[in-house]
Amino acid sequence: MALVVQKFGGSSVANTERILNVARIITETYQKGNDVVVVLSAQGDTTDDLIAKGKEINPKASKREMDMLLSTGEQISVALCAMAIEAMGFQAVSLTGWQAGVLTDSNYSAARIKRIRAERIQKELDKKKIVLVTGFQGINKYDDVTTLGRGGSDTSAVALAAALHADLCQIYTDVDGVYTADPRHVAGAKKLDEITFDEMLELASLGAQVLHNRSVEMAKRYNVNMEVLSSLSGKPGTKVKEVVKTMEKTHVSGVAKDKNVARVALIGLEDRPGIAFKIFSILAKENVNVDIILQSIGRDESKDISFTVSQDDMGRAKEVMLANQDVIGYKRVEASDQVAKISIVGAGMANNAGVACKMFEALYSAGINIHMISTSEIKVSVLVDERDAENAVQAIHDRFFNEFGAN
Ligand code: ADP
Ligand code: ASP
Ligand code: MG
């Protein structure tokens, strides 16, 4: 007998028929003699609808109240699914984040799980019940409801799997697994049988929403046996693990696109020591996270520095730069959110000089201009105009995956 954690995303529980389908998958797993803990997301677009409703009443609604509101979506799902399971003749119990003992910090709307007090879940499992837990939420030290950030139900599932020492954590979604690129937008995207935690973490952090990046971070830390699979097709999914068979081969495992990017450029800075320090310490003090940084070569004692931030932070970054124009000393600041970051990820990349070149060539052939480049051991990212984003992903993907057994 094993303990299995199964998570189902919003589209997997979108309507009554889908809930019944999920209940069938859960009860089949239970009937095989497993203990089953289930984590559910809110149905379909419920979370988006709740956000819109809250903003309509108060565009500046506090994050605490937004969390209170958003957490209700997941409650509906677990209660309905528990009813479906009971109707099929099995015992089930639904629990909210606080009933399940999910303790978080107090960072409303982006809370981190600190600990899981699993006694209640364990008690229910001991009674042979199927336990359904609301995803994406917990409770803080003030007994307030918190949420973990968009897509956070994956992290709830992995955290529960780690806390309960589950044998397997299955993330059921609306595609057959992790693909070489978003299968809904990229022709020829291929399903991967397996992928390493490190590569998956990069892909998720660089825009592949199929998994919440913190869930992968946590799965790696606690060595959770994790797989991504479809709740509809019944096909084998993708195993996410520490080491995969193809690891030694030079390869690129995927292409990701992130549209939540903005570029800020400071033009006409003095070319002398200490300028970068000033700019980025001011941004750090404001809690603005900076991603790619590009500095031009000094010419006539002046230089430019540009950097990327998330779109949410663009306004604030520009504001603080303007407020500190005298201190920093520059001529002009420009900011644009009409950009996107396209990345390739692969473990074997570091030792292959040709990989980045192949990516740039694909963009050149498609007539796409690159604004910024950043590289690491396992990824290359470029910043392009947002209107070029789809074409860029397709061109890069074609180059690596669809030509003469490339890669
Ligand atoms: P869920 O509601 O089940 O959590 P999400 O919408 O959060 O599902 O994530 C699944 C979606 O992720 C897919 O429908 C797909 O469009 C998108 N996606 C983006 N990149 C990838 C990728 N590399 N592999 C698979 N799916 C991806
Ligand atoms: N319902 C939440 C969201 O839409 C959490 C999740 O689905 O993982 O972001
Ligand atoms: Mg998701």
Side-chain angles (χ1 to χ4, degrees):
M1 193 189 76
L3 171 59
V4 182
V5 173
Q6 297 183 317
K7 179 258 170 179
F8 297 89
S11 42
S12 299
V13 292
N15 52 41
T16 303
E17 190 195 332
R18 295 272 172 96
I19 288 199
L20 292 173
N21 172 56
V22 161
R24 186 186 49 74
I25 297 173
I26 296 166
T27 52
E28 276 174 14
T29 311
Y30 179 84
Q31 276 184 302
K32 286 181 187 147
N34 300 300
D35 282 339
V36 187
V37 174
V38 177
V39 173
L40 298 184
S41 293
Q43 291 184 282
D45 296 330
T46 303
T47 308
D48 290 330
D49 296 344
L50 288 171
I51 291 173
K53 223 178 238 178
K55 297 276 176 207
E56 195 184 308
I57 300 239
N58 179 357
K60 292 196 169 147
S62 72
K63 288 185 172 175
R64 182 200 179 276
E65 297 309 329
M66 283 305 279
D67 277 6
M68 189 69 172
L69 178 66
L70 297 198
S71 67
T72 60
E74 270 68 13
Q75 271 197 58
I76 294 173
S77 297
V78 289
L80 290 175
C81 192
M83 291 174 196
I85 292 170
E86 283 175 349
M88 292 162 87
F90 299 86
Q91 277 194 296
V93 59
S94 63
L95 301 173
T96 62
W98 75 263
Q99 287 174 308
V102 180
L103 310 179
T104 74
D105 64 19
S106 294
N107 193 10
Y108 297 105
S109 84
R112 283 187 168 257
I113 297 175
K114 290 169 76 171
R115 204 156 63 83
I116 293 186
R117 242 196 260 126
E119 292 87 356
R120 174 73 191 273
I121 296 180
Q122 199 54 59
K123 231 186 342 194
E124 303 293 352
L125 289 175
D126 292 344
K127 287 189 226 159
K128 288 289 147 213
K129 288 192 184 173
I130 293 168
V131 182
L132 298 112
V133 181
T134 49
F136 164 68
Q137 60 175 265
I139 190 165
N140 66 15
K141 63 179 175 191
Y142 308 112
D143 288 346
D144 283 340
V145 174
T146 53
T147 67
L148 309 182
R150 298 305 306 268
S153 296
D154 299 331
T155 300
S156 308
V158 174
L160 283 168
L164 295 163
H165 305 289
D167 299 281
L168 178 61
C169 180
Q170 296 180 308
I171 307 289
Y172 282 92
T173 184
D174 55 4
V175 289
D176 283 343
V178 179
Y179 281 69
T180 50
D182 188 338
R184 295 193 187 286
H185 295 111
V186 180
K190 295 181 173 61
K191 200 202 79 189
L192 300 164
D193 292 334
E194 47 183 20
I195 186 167
T196 64
F197 286 130
D198 289 335
E199 289 172 304
M200 191 62 239
L201 182 56
E202 286 290 348
L203 276 180
S205 306
L206 293 167
Q209 88 199 63
V210 62
L211 284 177
H212 195 226
N213 60 355
R214 275 159 48 200
S215 74
V216 187
E217 209 172 62
M218 199 178 291
K220 179 178 165 70
R221 190 166 345 125
Y222 295 99
N223 206 15
V224 172
N225 184 12
M226 187 182 195
E227 65 177 330
V228 180
L229 64 174
S230 164
S231 62
L232 297 166
S233 78
K235 290 186 187 156
T238 304
K239 302 251 180 226
V240 190
K241 48 208 248 203
E242 191 60 46
V243 180
V244 303
K245 287 188 209 106
T246 50
M247 205 150 161
E248 282 295 342
K249 240 173 56 186
T250 301
H251 73 300
V252 169
S253 40
V255 186
K257 174 184 73 190
D258 187 357
K259 285 194 171 173
N260 182 17
V261 186
R263 179 172 60 148
V264 179
L266 299 173
I267 319 283
L269 292 152
E270 269 182 67
D271 190 17
R272 61 176 171 81
I275 296 286
F277 168 61
K278 253 187 214 160
I279 296 170
F280 295 107
S281 56
I282 289 167
L283 290 165
K285 238 183 262 158
E286 286 293 317
N287 262 328
V288 174
N289 276 327
V290 172
D291 182 19
I292 308 176
I293 299 173
L294 184 75
Q295 172 171 312
S296 70
I297 290 180
R299 202 174 287 146
D300 301 330
E301 282 165 23
S302 120
K303 66 183 175 188
D304 308 331
I305 289 183
S306 39
F307 53 89
T308 63
V309 295
S310 72
Q311 291 191 351
D312 287 346
D313 280 344
M314 182 181 86
R316 207 148 43 96
K318 189 173 173 188
E319 243 167 57
V320 289
M321 288 298 101
L322 281 172
N324 287 280
Q325 185 162 11
D326 291 347
V327 184
I328 301 167
Y330 62 86
K331 289 206 181 79
R332 200 170 84 240
V333 57
E334 288 173 4
S336 167
D337 57 5
Q338 300 299 302
V339 288
K341 184 169 67 170
I342 315 294
S343 309
I344 52 170
V345 170
M349 190 181 285
N351 300 319
N352 188 326
V355 173
C357 175
K358 206 161 154 181
M359 180 186 193
F360 303 153
E361 192 226 52
L363 292 169
Y364 162 66
S365 303
I368 293 167
N369 191 26
I370 301 172
H371 296 301
M372 286 170 138
I373 300 170
S374 103
T375 64
S376 81
E377 283 261 302
I378 69 165
K379 68 143 209 262
V380 182
S381 299
V382 296
L383 198 76
V384 299
D385 285 337
E386 190 178 348
R387 62 167 189 270
D388 290 333
E390 306 278 331
N391 285 344
V393 174
Q394 189 68 58
I396 295 167
H397 190 272
D398 285 348
R399 189 74 185 83
F400 280 98
F401 297 99
N402 291 346
E403 284 177 5
F404 312 106
N407 205 359

